[in-house]
Amino acid sequence: MTRHRAGRRTVAGAGAALLSAVWCATALPGTAHAAETPQPYAFADDVRTVAGTPSSTGSRALTPGSTYRSAIKHPGTGGTTRLYYRLELDAKDTVYVSATALPGLGSDVGFADGVRVSIEDANGFDCDSGSARFGASRSPRPLTASALRAAGPDESRCAAAGTYYVVVERTAASRSSISSATEKPSTPESWDLELYVTSEPVLARRGATTPPPTGDSGTPSPPAGPARPRAGGSSFGTAKALDQGVWGDRVEPGHTRYYRVPVDWGQRLSATVEVGGARGRGIPGGIGGADGTDGSGRSSGAGASGGTAGREYVTAALVVSVFNPARGPVDDMDTAYDGRQKSTTLPTLPPVAYENRYAPIDRLAGARFAGWYYLAVSLDPDVGTQFGEGAVGLTLRVGVSGQRRAGPAYAGVARPADAFGVTGRDEAAARGGAGGDDASDGPGGRGEGRSGTAAAGGSGDEAMKVLAAAGIGTGTVLVAVLGVWTLVGRRRVAGRRASA
């Protein structure tokens, strides 16, 4: 009896443990669901981690053709944090460095908060620089700036072979004259950085040094028709490939969606982005109080938001930016949002030509080589505050027009090798919608996928692994528990018979 009772206690203990395991296993899918939340920014699988240094002395080397992950600290109100990286360059390649600063979701940023990137020679001469700031939207979205070291017979400074330095600066706003009295100071957190380094060889033969006439062919009519679904990526590396047409997606307030379009020599890109309507505060019939409050008596117009005649709106709610194949900023537009559908159209870029680099206007000079052009669409988090949480519909009308022509004859090979051109594989990727956070397409597709490292949170693949493990574990444990219960029942019956 004692052994029997001990046995029963052992079996009962095992059953309790198994039941506890079932509870834990069934709780795992909830964890997987949290991990499947869209990530703020997905780094590539092959990204290299590099630390910037506060001085050029001891700075780490960057290699063209590579992507790097770094971080930069908050400089304090009105201050600047400066980081150095090193380049060892020959006299045959023009080198581009793009720096994307990544504030955390939900962080506060000021009007003049931003990032600046420059390339300096060994004597501290500023070869080139570029900057970006949050501006009126004050939305914590990815900010990208770029700089270059130009090479070639027409360059008189910074063209020699030698050591150069990439300087990335983060600025924090002092109190701006246009800041509202209620504007919060920027969150004192470090920002992740993505550094992308490319090189373009000089021409085999010297060509024209004046930009071609752009003419005035007018803005092409945006493509019409129903939208086909294409979910954008969360980073340059996972940008969704698009060809000409009408595409549909959704974007969460506070998030940025990335897309890419192959544009060949002689072609020009145009894009119109429409954001759908939402029911929420500030919308007649929406949620919230009839007096324009959120139902609690608090005004829902604050920060980068405002309102007139009972209507609420978010200024610069939708920001649309276009970048060239070196991830250099080309142009951007923004529009206010009042809960009703809105549309913004980027000025049509000039036909892609090598000579565009000599133009004095960034929008023209940026269209200097063929390849993947990127569209980044950011939605201000205040849209969720004002008009209700949840994704808002997007429609992208993408046009690629113009007659293709042969590209320039280079004297070497670009790094990455396929950076400045459009291949048949690129066109196939655009037709098939390669890329996105849920795909890994290899070099041609350029979609490194969710297996890459995210700026925050876990990846989708990891979430699916957890979910699968949870499902398998739950099934296995349930079978085991049922077996234990059956064994206990049989022993109880056998014990009653023996007693009888």
mmCIF file of all heavy atoms in Angstrom, residues 62 83-89 93-98 116-130 145-150 157-159 162-169 196-198:
data_model
loop_
_atom_site.group_PDB
_atom_site.id
_atom_site.type_symbol
_atom_site.label_atom_id
_atom_site.label_comp_id
_atom_site.label_asym_id
_atom_site.label_seq_id
_atom_site.Cartn_x
_atom_site.Cartn_y
_atom_site.Cartn_z
ATOM 1 N N LEU A 62 36.221 51.351 -42.761
ATOM 2 C CA LEU A 62 35.042 50.946 -43.517
ATOM 3 C C LEU A 62 35.477 50.557 -44.922
ATOM 4 O O LEU A 62 36.348 51.209 -45.509
ATOM 5 C CB LEU A 62 34.023 52.087 -43.587
ATOM 6 C CG LEU A 62 33.549 52.706 -42.262
ATOM 7 C CD1 LEU A 62 32.547 53.821 -42.539
ATOM 8 C CD2 LEU A 62 32.945 51.642 -41.354
ATOM 9 N N LEU A 83 31.350 61.059 -34.213
ATOM 10 C CA LEU A 83 32.036 59.774 -34.311
ATOM 11 C C LEU A 83 32.840 59.716 -35.604
ATOM 12 O O LEU A 83 32.412 60.243 -36.643
ATOM 13 C CB LEU A 83 31.029 58.615 -34.293
ATOM 14 C CG LEU A 83 30.244 58.392 -33.000
ATOM 15 C CD1 LEU A 83 29.266 57.237 -33.182
ATOM 16 C CD2 LEU A 83 31.173 58.124 -31.831
ATOM 17 N N TYR A 84 34.004 59.031 -35.525
ATOM 18 C CA TYR A 84 34.891 58.918 -36.682
ATOM 19 C C TYR A 84 35.019 57.463 -37.125
ATOM 20 O O TYR A 84 35.042 56.539 -36.304
ATOM 21 C CB TYR A 84 36.292 59.445 -36.325
ATOM 22 C CG TYR A 84 36.387 60.945 -36.198
ATOM 23 C CD1 TYR A 84 35.988 61.581 -35.026
ATOM 24 C CD2 TYR A 84 36.876 61.720 -37.242
ATOM 25 C CE1 TYR A 84 36.068 62.961 -34.893
ATOM 26 C CE2 TYR A 84 36.970 63.104 -37.118
ATOM 27 C CZ TYR A 84 36.560 63.715 -35.952
ATOM 28 O OH TYR A 84 36.646 65.071 -35.828
ATOM 29 N N TYR A 85 35.126 57.301 -38.439
ATOM 30 C CA TYR A 85 35.427 56.016 -39.077
ATOM 31 C C TYR A 85 36.448 56.306 -40.187
ATOM 32 O O TYR A 85 36.551 57.438 -40.664
ATOM 33 C CB TYR A 85 34.166 55.388 -39.672
ATOM 34 C CG TYR A 85 33.005 55.295 -38.705
ATOM 35 C CD1 TYR A 85 32.134 56.374 -38.528
ATOM 36 C CD2 TYR A 85 32.762 54.146 -37.968
ATOM 37 C CE1 TYR A 85 31.075 56.305 -37.642
ATOM 38 C CE2 TYR A 85 31.701 54.065 -37.080
ATOM 39 C CZ TYR A 85 30.857 55.154 -36.923
ATOM 40 O OH TYR A 85 29.798 55.094 -36.036
ATOM 41 N N ARG A 86 37.182 55.290 -40.597
ATOM 42 C CA ARG A 86 38.287 55.513 -41.532
ATOM 43 C C ARG A 86 38.016 54.866 -42.896
ATOM 44 O O ARG A 86 37.402 53.809 -42.985
ATOM 45 C CB ARG A 86 39.569 54.932 -40.932
ATOM 46 C CG ARG A 86 40.842 55.340 -41.667
ATOM 47 C CD ARG A 86 42.081 54.794 -40.988
ATOM 48 N NE ARG A 86 42.312 53.374 -41.268
ATOM 49 C CZ ARG A 86 42.071 52.380 -40.434
ATOM 50 N NH1 ARG A 86 41.591 52.634 -39.222
ATOM 51 N NH2 ARG A 86 42.312 51.135 -40.773
ATOM 52 N N LEU A 87 38.496 55.535 -43.942
ATOM 53 C CA LEU A 87 38.460 54.993 -45.304
ATOM 54 C C LEU A 87 39.872 55.006 -45.872
ATOM 55 O O LEU A 87 40.579 56.022 -45.763
ATOM 56 C CB LEU A 87 37.554 55.837 -46.208
ATOM 57 C CG LEU A 87 36.058 55.868 -45.922
ATOM 58 C CD1 LEU A 87 35.395 56.963 -46.762
ATOM 59 C CD2 LEU A 87 35.421 54.516 -46.215
ATOM 60 N N GLU A 88 40.286 53.907 -46.472
ATOM 61 C CA GLU A 88 41.552 53.856 -47.200
ATOM 62 C C GLU A 88 41.208 53.788 -48.684
ATOM 63 O O GLU A 88 40.733 52.760 -49.178
ATOM 64 C CB GLU A 88 42.385 52.642 -46.777
ATOM 65 C CG GLU A 88 42.752 52.619 -45.304
ATOM 66 C CD GLU A 88 43.701 53.755 -44.908
ATOM 67 O OE1 GLU A 88 44.327 54.357 -45.817
ATOM 68 O OE2 GLU A 88 43.832 54.043 -43.700
ATOM 69 N N LEU A 89 41.435 54.872 -49.422
ATOM 70 C CA LEU A 89 40.919 54.999 -50.780
ATOM 71 C C LEU A 89 42.039 55.152 -51.801
ATOM 72 O O LEU A 89 43.092 55.724 -51.511
ATOM 73 C CB LEU A 89 39.979 56.208 -50.876
ATOM 74 C CG LEU A 89 38.797 56.239 -49.891
ATOM 75 C CD1 LEU A 89 37.965 57.483 -50.106
ATOM 76 C CD2 LEU A 89 37.958 54.976 -50.016
ATOM 77 N N ASP A 93 38.275 55.581 -57.627
ATOM 78 C CA ASP A 93 36.867 55.347 -57.313
ATOM 79 C C ASP A 93 36.266 56.527 -56.560
ATOM 80 O O ASP A 93 36.890 57.087 -55.656
ATOM 81 C CB ASP A 93 36.697 54.093 -56.455
ATOM 82 C CG ASP A 93 37.107 52.823 -57.176
ATOM 83 O OD1 ASP A 93 36.757 52.683 -58.360
ATOM 84 O OD2 ASP A 93 37.800 51.990 -56.562
ATOM 85 N N THR A 94 35.043 56.868 -56.946
ATOM 86 C CA THR A 94 34.235 57.778 -56.149
ATOM 87 C C THR A 94 33.532 56.945 -55.086
ATOM 88 O O THR A 94 32.928 55.910 -55.405
ATOM 89 C CB THR A 94 33.211 58.523 -57.013
ATOM 90 O OG1 THR A 94 33.901 59.389 -57.919
ATOM 91 C CG2 THR A 94 32.266 59.349 -56.165
ATOM 92 N N VAL A 95 33.607 57.365 -53.846
ATOM 93 C CA VAL A 95 33.064 56.589 -52.733
ATOM 94 C C VAL A 95 31.928 57.360 -52.083
ATOM 95 O O VAL A 95 32.029 58.567 -51.833
ATOM 96 C CB VAL A 95 34.163 56.256 -51.703
ATOM 97 C CG1 VAL A 95 33.565 55.601 -50.459
ATOM 98 C CG2 VAL A 95 35.209 55.352 -52.331
ATOM 99 N N TYR A 96 30.825 56.649 -51.826
ATOM 100 C CA TYR A 96 29.639 57.229 -51.199
ATOM 101 C C TYR A 96 29.420 56.567 -49.837
ATOM 102 O O TYR A 96 29.538 55.350 -49.706
ATOM 103 C CB TYR A 96 28.400 56.994 -52.063
ATOM 104 C CG TYR A 96 28.502 57.541 -53.469
ATOM 105 C CD1 TYR A 96 29.088 56.782 -54.497
ATOM 106 C CD2 TYR A 96 28.033 58.812 -53.774
ATOM 107 C CE1 TYR A 96 29.187 57.288 -55.792
ATOM 108 C CE2 TYR A 96 28.119 59.319 -55.063
ATOM 109 C CZ TYR A 96 28.703 58.557 -56.070
ATOM 110 O OH TYR A 96 28.803 59.064 -57.341
ATOM 111 N N VAL A 97 29.104 57.366 -48.844
ATOM 112 C CA VAL A 97 28.782 56.853 -47.513
ATOM 113 C C VAL A 97 27.417 57.400 -47.115
ATOM 114 O O VAL A 97 27.205 58.613 -47.093
ATOM 115 C CB VAL A 97 29.834 57.256 -46.470
ATOM 116 C CG1 VAL A 97 29.432 56.731 -45.089
ATOM 117 C CG2 VAL A 97 31.212 56.737 -46.856
ATOM 118 N N SER A 98 26.511 56.477 -46.821
ATOM 119 C CA SER A 98 25.172 56.836 -46.364
ATOM 120 C C SER A 98 25.036 56.429 -44.904
ATOM 121 O O SER A 98 25.407 55.324 -44.520
ATOM 122 C CB SER A 98 24.115 56.117 -47.209
ATOM 123 O OG SER A 98 22.827 56.238 -46.645
ATOM 124 N N ARG A 116 24.296 64.371 -39.327
ATOM 125 C CA ARG A 116 25.126 64.922 -40.390
ATOM 126 C C ARG A 116 26.257 63.959 -40.660
ATOM 127 O O ARG A 116 26.850 63.401 -39.725
ATOM 128 C CB ARG A 116 25.691 66.286 -39.984
ATOM 129 C CG ARG A 116 26.556 66.968 -41.047
ATOM 130 C CD ARG A 116 27.064 68.320 -40.535
ATOM 131 N NE ARG A 116 27.758 69.085 -41.557
ATOM 132 C CZ ARG A 116 29.079 69.025 -41.785
ATOM 133 N NH1 ARG A 116 29.842 68.209 -41.041
ATOM 134 N NH2 ARG A 116 29.634 69.755 -42.730
ATOM 135 N N VAL A 117 26.586 63.749 -41.921
ATOM 136 C CA VAL A 117 27.707 62.887 -42.283
ATOM 137 C C VAL A 117 28.614 63.659 -43.229
ATOM 138 O O VAL A 117 28.143 64.382 -44.121
ATOM 139 C CB VAL A 117 27.223 61.563 -42.922
ATOM 140 C CG1 VAL A 117 26.393 61.807 -44.168
ATOM 141 C CG2 VAL A 117 28.395 60.655 -43.247
ATOM 142 N N SER A 118 29.905 63.553 -43.021
ATOM 143 C CA SER A 118 30.875 64.229 -43.880
ATOM 144 C C SER A 118 32.065 63.312 -44.105
ATOM 145 O O SER A 118 32.301 62.363 -43.348
ATOM 146 C CB SER A 118 31.328 65.554 -43.253
ATOM 147 O OG SER A 118 31.897 65.342 -41.975
ATOM 148 N N ILE A 119 32.804 63.599 -45.163
ATOM 149 C CA ILE A 119 34.064 62.907 -45.449
ATOM 150 C C ILE A 119 35.165 63.956 -45.445
ATOM 151 O O ILE A 119 35.072 64.968 -46.146
ATOM 152 C CB ILE A 119 34.013 62.154 -46.791
ATOM 153 C CG1 ILE A 119 32.947 61.055 -46.738
ATOM 154 C CG2 ILE A 119 35.377 61.560 -47.124
ATOM 155 C CD1 ILE A 119 32.808 60.259 -48.025
ATOM 156 N N GLU A 120 36.189 63.718 -44.635
ATOM 157 C CA GLU A 120 37.302 64.651 -44.492
ATOM 158 C C GLU A 120 38.605 63.987 -44.908
ATOM 159 O O GLU A 120 38.762 62.766 -44.773
ATOM 160 C CB GLU A 120 37.416 65.118 -43.033
ATOM 161 C CG GLU A 120 36.191 65.857 -42.509
ATOM 162 C CD GLU A 120 36.355 66.261 -41.050
ATOM 163 O OE1 GLU A 120 37.370 65.846 -40.434
ATOM 164 O OE2 GLU A 120 35.482 66.976 -40.528
ATOM 165 N N ASP A 121 39.532 64.799 -45.404
ATOM 166 C CA ASP A 121 40.853 64.253 -45.705
ATOM 167 C C ASP A 121 41.713 64.269 -44.442
ATOM 168 O O ASP A 121 41.261 64.654 -43.358
ATOM 169 C CB ASP A 121 41.507 65.002 -46.870
ATOM 170 C CG ASP A 121 41.847 66.452 -46.541
ATOM 171 O OD1 ASP A 121 41.784 66.842 -45.348
ATOM 172 O OD2 ASP A 121 42.176 67.211 -47.475
ATOM 173 N N ALA A 122 42.962 63.878 -44.577
ATOM 174 C CA ALA A 122 43.852 63.754 -43.416
ATOM 175 C C ALA A 122 44.175 65.094 -42.779
ATOM 176 O O ALA A 122 44.653 65.152 -41.636
ATOM 177 C CB ALA A 122 45.134 63.037 -43.816
ATOM 178 N N ASN A 123 43.919 66.198 -43.496
ATOM 179 C CA ASN A 123 44.158 67.533 -42.958
ATOM 180 C C ASN A 123 42.892 68.186 -42.420
ATOM 181 O O ASN A 123 42.899 69.388 -42.105
ATOM 182 C CB ASN A 123 44.783 68.427 -44.032
ATOM 183 C CG ASN A 123 46.186 67.977 -44.404
ATOM 184 O OD1 ASN A 123 47.007 67.707 -43.524
ATOM 185 N ND2 ASN A 123 46.455 67.884 -45.700
ATOM 186 N N GLY A 124 41.807 67.410 -42.336
ATOM 187 C CA GLY A 124 40.571 67.947 -41.800
ATOM 188 C C GLY A 124 39.743 68.732 -42.787
ATOM 189 O O GLY A 124 38.737 69.348 -42.407
ATOM 190 N N PHE A 125 40.126 68.719 -44.075
ATOM 191 C CA PHE A 125 39.343 69.412 -45.087
ATOM 192 C C PHE A 125 38.063 68.640 -45.357
ATOM 193 O O PHE A 125 38.075 67.426 -45.540
ATOM 194 C CB PHE A 125 40.141 69.565 -46.381
ATOM 195 C CG PHE A 125 39.348 70.197 -47.502
ATOM 196 C CD1 PHE A 125 39.118 71.560 -47.511
ATOM 197 C CD2 PHE A 125 38.835 69.417 -48.525
ATOM 198 C CE1 PHE A 125 38.374 72.141 -48.543
ATOM 199 C CE2 PHE A 125 38.104 69.985 -49.549
ATOM 200 C CZ PHE A 125 37.871 71.358 -49.556
ATOM 201 N N ASP A 126 36.946 69.344 -45.382
ATOM 202 C CA ASP A 126 35.632 68.741 -45.582
ATOM 203 C C ASP A 126 35.401 68.525 -47.080
ATOM 204 O O ASP A 126 35.097 69.473 -47.819
ATOM 205 C CB ASP A 126 34.555 69.667 -44.999
ATOM 206 C CG ASP A 126 33.233 68.967 -44.793
ATOM 207 O OD1 ASP A 126 33.031 67.910 -45.424
ATOM 208 O OD2 ASP A 126 32.397 69.461 -44.019
ATOM 209 N N CYS A 127 35.554 67.293 -47.534
ATOM 210 C CA CYS A 127 35.382 66.987 -48.952
ATOM 211 C C CYS A 127 33.925 67.127 -49.381
ATOM 212 O O CYS A 127 33.623 67.639 -50.465
ATOM 213 C CB CYS A 127 35.858 65.565 -49.251
ATOM 214 S SG CYS A 127 37.556 65.222 -48.748
ATOM 215 N N ASP A 128 33.016 66.651 -48.548
ATOM 216 C CA ASP A 128 31.594 66.722 -48.860
ATOM 217 C C ASP A 128 30.825 66.398 -47.581
ATOM 218 O O ASP A 128 31.348 65.733 -46.676
ATOM 219 C CB ASP A 128 31.220 65.728 -49.963
ATOM 220 C CG ASP A 128 29.777 65.877 -50.415
ATOM 221 O OD1 ASP A 128 29.370 67.007 -50.741
ATOM 222 O OD2 ASP A 128 29.040 64.863 -50.409
ATOM 223 N N SER A 129 29.594 66.874 -47.514
ATOM 224 C CA SER A 129 28.779 66.588 -46.344
ATOM 225 C C SER A 129 27.306 66.637 -46.710
ATOM 226 O O SER A 129 26.915 67.209 -47.731
ATOM 227 C CB SER A 129 29.070 67.585 -45.215
ATOM 228 O OG SER A 129 28.685 68.899 -45.601
ATOM 229 N N GLY A 130 26.505 66.038 -45.875
ATOM 230 C CA GLY A 130 25.058 66.073 -46.029
ATOM 231 C C GLY A 130 24.419 65.919 -44.664
ATOM 232 O O GLY A 130 25.014 65.345 -43.740
ATOM 233 N N ALA A 145 21.366 60.609 -44.233
ATOM 234 C CA ALA A 145 22.204 61.635 -44.841
ATOM 235 C C ALA A 145 23.382 60.950 -45.511
ATOM 236 O O ALA A 145 23.735 59.811 -45.158
ATOM 237 C CB ALA A 145 22.689 62.633 -43.789
ATOM 238 N N SER A 146 24.000 61.622 -46.482
ATOM 239 C CA SER A 146 25.102 60.980 -47.204
ATOM 240 C C SER A 146 26.157 61.998 -47.600
ATOM 241 O O SER A 146 25.914 63.208 -47.623
ATOM 242 C CB SER A 146 24.582 60.263 -48.460
ATOM 243 O OG SER A 146 24.114 61.204 -49.416
ATOM 244 N N ALA A 147 27.343 61.483 -47.901
ATOM 245 C CA ALA A 147 28.460 62.299 -48.370
ATOM 246 C C ALA A 147 29.283 61.450 -49.329
ATOM 247 O O ALA A 147 29.147 60.215 -49.370
ATOM 248 C CB ALA A 147 29.316 62.780 -47.200
ATOM 249 N N LEU A 148 30.158 62.100 -50.108
ATOM 250 C CA LEU A 148 30.958 61.376 -51.092
ATOM 251 C C LEU A 148 32.370 61.924 -51.140
ATOM 252 O O LEU A 148 32.634 63.058 -50.760
ATOM 253 C CB LEU A 148 30.305 61.436 -52.471
ATOM 254 C CG LEU A 148 30.150 62.815 -53.137
ATOM 255 C CD1 LEU A 148 31.354 63.168 -53.991
ATOM 256 C CD2 LEU A 148 28.898 62.856 -54.004
ATOM 257 N N ARG A 149 33.278 61.081 -51.629
ATOM 258 C CA ARG A 149 34.630 61.505 -52.002
ATOM 259 C C ARG A 149 34.724 61.263 -53.507
ATOM 260 O O ARG A 149 34.750 60.123 -53.958
ATOM 261 C CB ARG A 149 35.681 60.686 -51.251
ATOM 262 C CG ARG A 149 37.144 61.224 -51.356
ATOM 263 C CD ARG A 149 37.790 61.226 -52.749
ATOM 264 N NE ARG A 149 37.809 59.922 -53.405
ATOM 265 C CZ ARG A 149 38.891 59.154 -53.491
ATOM 266 N NH1 ARG A 149 40.026 59.543 -52.997
ATOM 267 N NH2 ARG A 149 38.817 57.994 -54.127
ATOM 268 N N ALA A 150 34.758 62.341 -54.282
ATOM 269 C CA ALA A 150 34.770 62.220 -55.738
ATOM 270 C C ALA A 150 36.192 62.016 -56.248
ATOM 271 O O ALA A 150 37.141 62.633 -55.757
ATOM 272 C CB ALA A 150 34.154 63.457 -56.371
ATOM 273 N N ARG A 157 40.482 68.531 -55.434
ATOM 274 C CA ARG A 157 40.727 68.301 -54.013
ATOM 275 C C ARG A 157 40.082 66.993 -53.597
ATOM 276 O O ARG A 157 39.062 66.574 -54.122
ATOM 277 C CB ARG A 157 40.176 69.462 -53.180
ATOM 278 C CG ARG A 157 40.701 70.839 -53.623
ATOM 279 C CD ARG A 157 40.322 71.927 -52.646
ATOM 280 N NE ARG A 157 41.065 71.795 -51.390
ATOM 281 C CZ ARG A 157 41.057 72.740 -50.450
ATOM 282 N NH1 ARG A 157 40.361 73.848 -50.617
ATOM 283 N NH2 ARG A 157 41.750 72.571 -49.336
ATOM 284 N N CYS A 158 40.678 66.338 -52.641
ATOM 285 C CA CYS A 158 40.179 65.062 -52.111
ATOM 286 C C CYS A 158 40.178 63.945 -53.150
ATOM 287 O O CYS A 158 39.492 62.935 -52.964
ATOM 288 C CB CYS A 158 38.764 65.218 -51.549
ATOM 289 S SG CYS A 158 38.654 66.266 -50.078
ATOM 290 N N ALA A 159 40.906 64.099 -54.237
ATOM 291 C CA ALA A 159 40.920 63.073 -55.267
ATOM 292 C C ALA A 159 42.105 62.123 -55.143
ATOM 293 O O ALA A 159 42.126 61.066 -55.779
ATOM 294 C CB ALA A 159 40.933 63.729 -56.652
ATOM 295 N N GLY A 162 44.706 57.797 -50.453
ATOM 296 C CA GLY A 162 45.145 58.036 -49.091
ATOM 297 C C GLY A 162 44.079 57.735 -48.062
ATOM 298 O O GLY A 162 43.075 57.068 -48.352
ATOM 299 N N THR A 163 44.284 58.230 -46.866
ATOM 300 C CA THR A 163 43.372 57.995 -45.754
ATOM 301 C C THR A 163 42.373 59.141 -45.651
ATOM 302 O O THR A 163 42.760 60.315 -45.669
ATOM 303 C CB THR A 163 44.149 57.870 -44.433
ATOM 304 O OG1 THR A 163 45.062 56.763 -44.525
ATOM 305 C CG2 THR A 163 43.200 57.637 -43.265
ATOM 306 N N TYR A 164 41.125 58.774 -45.538
ATOM 307 C CA TYR A 164 40.040 59.737 -45.347
ATOM 308 C C TYR A 164 39.221 59.299 -44.136
ATOM 309 O O TYR A 164 39.318 58.158 -43.684
ATOM 310 C CB TYR A 164 39.160 59.828 -46.594
ATOM 311 C CG TYR A 164 39.868 60.420 -47.792
ATOM 312 C CD1 TYR A 164 40.692 59.638 -48.604
ATOM 313 C CD2 TYR A 164 39.719 61.771 -48.114
ATOM 314 C CE1 TYR A 164 41.354 60.180 -49.696
ATOM 315 C CE2 TYR A 164 40.376 62.332 -49.207
ATOM 316 C CZ TYR A 164 41.183 61.527 -49.993
ATOM 317 O OH TYR A 164 41.847 62.079 -51.064
ATOM 318 N N TYR A 165 38.426 60.223 -43.626
ATOM 319 C CA TYR A 165 37.638 59.933 -42.433
ATOM 320 C C TYR A 165 36.170 60.256 -42.670
ATOM 321 O O TYR A 165 35.832 61.314 -43.220
ATOM 322 C CB TYR A 165 38.160 60.726 -41.235
ATOM 323 C CG TYR A 165 39.573 60.354 -40.868
ATOM 324 C CD1 TYR A 165 40.649 61.120 -41.322
ATOM 325 C CD2 TYR A 165 39.833 59.227 -40.106
ATOM 326 C CE1 TYR A 165 41.958 60.767 -41.014
ATOM 327 C CE2 TYR A 165 41.136 58.857 -39.790
ATOM 328 C CZ TYR A 165 42.192 59.625 -40.250
ATOM 329 O OH TYR A 165 43.487 59.260 -39.950
ATOM 330 N N VAL A 166 35.323 59.326 -42.260
ATOM 331 C CA VAL A 166 33.886 59.552 -42.239
ATOM 332 C C VAL A 166 33.538 60.082 -40.857
ATOM 333 O O VAL A 166 33.883 59.469 -39.845
ATOM 334 C CB VAL A 166 33.107 58.247 -42.523
ATOM 335 C CG1 VAL A 166 31.602 58.479 -42.393
ATOM 336 C CG2 VAL A 166 33.460 57.703 -43.900
ATOM 337 N N VAL A 167 32.857 61.212 -40.818
ATOM 338 C CA VAL A 167 32.458 61.820 -39.551
ATOM 339 C C VAL A 167 30.931 61.847 -39.492
ATOM 340 O O VAL A 167 30.285 62.448 -40.351
ATOM 341 C CB VAL A 167 33.019 63.247 -39.404
ATOM 342 C CG1 VAL A 167 32.686 63.802 -38.022
ATOM 343 C CG2 VAL A 167 34.519 63.266 -39.651
ATOM 344 N N VAL A 168 30.387 61.176 -38.503
ATOM 345 C CA VAL A 168 28.940 61.161 -38.298
ATOM 346 C C VAL A 168 28.642 61.976 -37.050
ATOM 347 O O VAL A 168 29.202 61.718 -35.974
ATOM 348 C CB VAL A 168 28.396 59.732 -38.150
ATOM 349 C CG1 VAL A 168 26.888 59.748 -37.897
ATOM 350 C CG2 VAL A 168 28.708 58.910 -39.403
ATOM 351 N N GLU A 169 27.774 62.962 -37.187
ATOM 352 C CA GLU A 169 27.425 63.841 -36.073
ATOM 353 C C GLU A 169 25.933 63.746 -35.779
ATOM 354 O O GLU A 169 25.113 63.716 -36.704
ATOM 355 C CB GLU A 169 27.788 65.286 -36.397
ATOM 356 C CG GLU A 169 29.268 65.509 -36.653
ATOM 357 C CD GLU A 169 29.540 66.887 -37.203
ATOM 358 O OE1 GLU A 169 29.542 67.844 -36.400
ATOM 359 O OE2 GLU A 169 29.735 67.010 -38.427
ATOM 360 N N TYR A 196 26.255 52.603 -44.963
ATOM 361 C CA TYR A 196 26.319 51.866 -46.223
ATOM 362 C C TYR A 196 27.368 52.544 -47.099
ATOM 363 O O TYR A 196 27.293 53.743 -47.370
ATOM 364 C CB TYR A 196 24.957 51.889 -46.904
ATOM 365 C CG TYR A 196 24.878 51.130 -48.208
ATOM 366 C CD1 TYR A 196 25.052 49.749 -48.239
ATOM 367 C CD2 TYR A 196 24.597 51.784 -49.394
ATOM 368 C CE1 TYR A 196 24.961 49.044 -49.434
ATOM 369 C CE2 TYR A 196 24.497 51.088 -50.594
ATOM 370 C CZ TYR A 196 24.680 49.722 -50.607
ATOM 371 O OH TYR A 196 24.589 49.028 -51.800
ATOM 372 N N VAL A 197 28.383 51.778 -47.525
ATOM 373 C CA VAL A 197 29.510 52.329 -48.268
ATOM 374 C C VAL A 197 29.552 51.703 -49.657
ATOM 375 O O VAL A 197 29.571 50.469 -49.789
ATOM 376 C CB VAL A 197 30.843 52.067 -47.532
ATOM 377 C CG1 VAL A 197 31.985 52.814 -48.213
ATOM 378 C CG2 VAL A 197 30.746 52.477 -46.067
ATOM 379 N N THR A 198 29.548 52.541 -50.676
ATOM 380 C CA THR A 198 29.615 52.067 -52.054
ATOM 381 C C THR A 198 30.729 52.807 -52.788
ATOM 382 O O THR A 198 31.125 53.911 -52.396
ATOM 383 C CB THR A 198 28.289 52.294 -52.798
ATOM 384 O OG1 THR A 198 27.922 53.685 -52.691
ATOM 385 C CG2 THR A 198 27.183 51.458 -52.218
#
